[in-house]
Amino acid sequence: MAEKQQKYRQEIQQMMFVSGETAEPSPETTAMIEEIVHTQVVEMLKRSTALATRRGSRSISTNDLFFLIRHDKAKLSRLMTFLSWKDVRKTAKDSDDKGGDAADINGDDPLGGADPGAGGGGPVVGDTGKKNKRTKVTLPWDVSSYFSEQVPEREDEEDEDEEEMNEATIQRLKTADERTKNMTREEYVHYSECRQASFTFRKAKRFREWAGFHLYTDSKPNDDIVDILGFLTFEIVQTLTEEALQVKAEEEMNKSRTGDADAQNKKRKRETGLFGEQEEGRTPVGPKHVQEAFRRLQVKPIPGRNRVWMGGPRALQRTELRLVGLRIS
């Protein structure tokens, strides 16, 4: 019954494979992950709607989602970079569509038919470069947004958020390299296809219905909102899978210490390679591993943040759901 209700089983399987799960997970496991992701998306929509209401708006904006993950500087910087390059690609595509007819008319004229002596003429390449330059996404709570005049940006200048993003990106690349270094060509092609898995790419309508946007926000969210949620849902599945794999590894290690022969055999098989024939007998993570991973992620302290003790018997009670894989306030 759980399998019939699933809408993203294949996508979740692909995301889990990219995250290190080489065995095929059961429908119960993917159903549990999908339910967790759905709960997380609903929580983000509720918090974003509450922020929009405080601003006096009936519709959520990208800044509301940015505000939710403001403490995770690396992830926030990656999101802002993604949106800025998305705008560049859209602008470049529009300029190509508009400039296509002009290029056909001008033929092989290197100046594109422009008169070098005319005031309105000039190098077409230069104008295109300015138009397609990546614009920096500014946040309303940044100190620089308080002033009307902005300091000119330097191309070689990197702020702390970008440096943290680069460090996180390098770590992700190292992890991906470890997971793919023993793959054959066919396996790597499959891995590359799985990396494209998404809850939202070319599925925006299905995602809106699945998440229940109409229940939590009055207006229809724009494409940027859907893209951001698609990015964050992938991060949630990846974080859950990596934590579940760690839970499973600890469980097998405990069994091996007690002299479990089956656990010892599975351990020897894993040591010979990740994607060989010996992996056929490997058991995937189960619902109990995902459940324990989610529990750990709910109580794991957030790096870079300190909680203030307010006292009282209720101070130890957690009444708010924590978003998986995000440093949320």
Side-chain angles (χ1 to χ4, degrees):
M1 183 174 180
E3 188 175 2
K4 293 181 180 179
Q5 297 175 350
Q6 284 187 264
K7 292 188 177 181
Y8 292 100
R9 171 166 167 75
Q10 181 179 359
E11 289 83 357
I12 291 175
Q13 282 182 317
Q14 293 174 335
M15 293 177 188
M16 293 181 70
F17 177 70
V18 173
S19 305
E21 175 54 279
T22 56
E24 183 176 354
S26 65
E28 291 77 13
T29 302
T30 55
M32 177 174 288
I33 291 180
E34 182 173 327
E35 181 62 27
I36 292 175
V37 174
H38 182 268
T39 304
Q40 298 277 293
V41 171
V42 169
E43 184 69 15
M44 285 187 281
L45 288 175
K46 287 181 178 179
R47 296 188 190 184
S48 298
T49 302
L51 290 172
T53 303
R54 293 173 63 181
R55 292 189 292 104
S57 175
R58 298 180 60 185
S59 60
I60 62 177
S61 67
T62 56
N63 287 332
D64 295 324
L65 287 173
F66 286 157
F67 189 78
L68 288 180
I69 63 173
R70 65 190 184 280
H71 294 295
D72 197 334
K73 295 183 179 180
K75 195 174 274 84
L76 178 61
S77 183
R78 286 173 55 203
L79 264 177
M80 294 169 61
T81 302
F82 164 74
L83 290 180
S84 61
W85 281 114
K86 176 186 173 183
D87 184 61
V88 169
R89 288 192 296 269
K90 182 179 179 182
T91 304
K93 182 179 179 181
D94 294 341
S95 62
D96 290 341
D97 294 340
K98 293 179 181 179
D101 297 336
D104 294 337
I105 295 174
N106 295 328
D108 297 331
D109 186 358
L111 295 176
D115 184 2
V124 179
V125 176
D127 294 340
T128 305
K130 290 181 180 180
K131 185 182 295 185
N132 294 341
K133 183 179 179 181
R134 182 168 70 96
T135 57
K136 184 177 181 180
V137 179
T138 57
L139 301 172
W141 56 86
D142 284 343
V143 177
S144 59
S145 65
Y146 301 161
F147 306 96
S148 58
E149 296 293 333
Q150 301 294 326
V151 178
E153 297 182 15
R154 287 167 38 191
E155 295 183 358
D156 58 344
E157 184 178 10
E158 284 189 356
D159 56 19
E160 295 180 358
D161 295 348
E162 289 181 346
E163 291 178 359
E164 189 171 348
M165 178 194 69
N166 293 334
E167 292 178 2
T169 302
I170 292 174
Q171 183 59 44
R172 290 166 67 93
L173 291 174
K174 288 181 179 179
T175 304
D177 181 64
E178 287 294 325
R179 290 170 180 164
T180 58
K181 64 181 181 181
N182 293 326
M183 288 185 180
T184 63
R185 180 177 180 180
E186 291 75 16
E187 289 168 343
Y188 188 77
V189 169
H190 177 63
Y191 178 86
S192 300
E193 293 174 352
C194 291
R195 289 187 65 185
Q196 307 303 318
S198 171
F199 281 80
T200 59
F201 182 64
R202 296 179 179 175
K203 312 180 192 75
K205 182 178 179 181
R206 191 212 306 184
F207 181 77
R208 290 189 179 97
E209 294 175 354
W210 174 77
F213 275 63
H214 62 285
L215 299 175
Y216 307 104
T217 178
D218 295 335
S219 62
K220 181 179 178 182
N222 57 35
D223 293 338
D224 287 343
I225 297 291
V226 175
D227 289 338
I228 291 174
L229 290 175
F231 172 90
L232 296 178
T233 50
F234 189 99
E235 296 283 329
I236 292 171
V237 175
Q238 185 178 48
T239 305
L240 271 174
T241 303
E242 292 174 346
E243 191 71 24
L245 287 171
Q246 185 175 351
V247 171
K248 182 173 179 289
E250 292 175 1
E251 180 185 68
E252 293 178 348
M253 184 178 295
N254 292 333
K255 288 183 179 180
S256 65
R257 289 175 180 174
T258 58
D260 192 330
D262 293 336
Q264 290 284 6
N265 292 334
K266 292 175 183 178
K267 183 178 180 181
R268 293 192 191 99
K269 289 180 180 179
R270 283 198 306 277
E271 288 174 350
T272 57
L274 284 175
F275 298 94
E277 295 181 357
Q278 68 279 0
E279 281 295 311
E280 293 180 358
R282 181 179 180 275
T283 57
V285 297
K288 63 178 181 179
H289 304 122
V290 176
Q291 189 173 14
E292 173 61 17
F294 182 69
R295 186 197 67 81
R296 292 185 181 186
L297 291 169
Q298 288 294 299
V299 299
K300 182 176 292 187
I302 301 175
R305 294 188 60 208
N306 296 320
R307 291 191 175 273
V308 180
W309 173 257
M310 301 301 294
R314 297 184 180 180
L316 294 176
Q317 298 180 6
R318 180 179 299 279
T319 59
E320 190 176 41
L321 178 68
R322 176 179 292 183
L323 301 182
V324 172
L326 305 175
R327 302 175 190 175
I328 303 293
S329 59

